[in-house]
Amino acid sequence: MSAYAIAHLREAAPHADIAEYIERITATFEPYGGCFLVHGAQHEVMEGAWPGHVVVIGFPSLAEARAWWASAAYQEIAPLRARHIEGDIILVPGVPEGYDATHTAKALRESLPAR
């Protein structure tokens, strides 16, 4: 099942470290089957607030996403970003092929207290 690394990064002043991080990051996730799905795109906020930028990297599985995050190659460059850009980063599994949200709704309804 696919998995995603999703980053919500706040605005930051341009810095050479950030440019180096961007130049090097692709080489860190490619060995784990990763690829950019969203990077450098303008987003539209439909509800709430979302200041900054969104980055999504797709992986074949959560295991590969975790292995990338923990890899020496990524950990070596992560401080280049972290020193200059505040943000939140999560790893999340995708849904299995054929996923049907009505099954989730049914389970939710069954867990509700009886009226």
Side-chain angles (χ1 to χ4, degrees):
M1 184 166 43
S2 59
Y4 306 92
I6 302 172
H8 176 201
L9 304 174
R10 307 316 184 273
E11 294 291 338
H15 194 281
D17 284 354
I18 298 169
E20 181 179 349
Y21 174 84
I22 294 169
E23 290 166 348
R24 294 175 60 189
I25 190 169
T26 301
T28 70
F29 59 66
E30 283 183 335
Y32 303 94
C35 66
F36 278 118
L37 299 176
V38 177
H39 188 245
Q42 284 292 104
H43 60 274
E44 288 184 55
V45 177
M46 306 309 281
E47 278 188 45
W50 196 293
H53 304 278
V54 178
V55 177
V56 180
I57 303 169
F59 291 91
S61 72
L62 195 53
E64 277 131 338
R66 287 179 180 140
W68 161 72
W69 181 263
S71 71
Y74 183 69
Q75 290 304 309
E76 180 182 320
I77 69 166
L80 297 171
R81 174 198 44 78
R83 282 193 295 260
H84 305 286
I85 302 175
E86 184 179 321
D88 304 301
I89 301 172
I90 62 170
L91 300 180
V92 62
V95 298
E97 191 171 326
Y99 173 78
D100 183 347
T102 61
H103 297 286
T104 302
K106 180 179 181 211
L108 176 61
R109 287 194 179 281
E110 291 171 354
S111 72
L112 295 172
R115 290 187 185 185

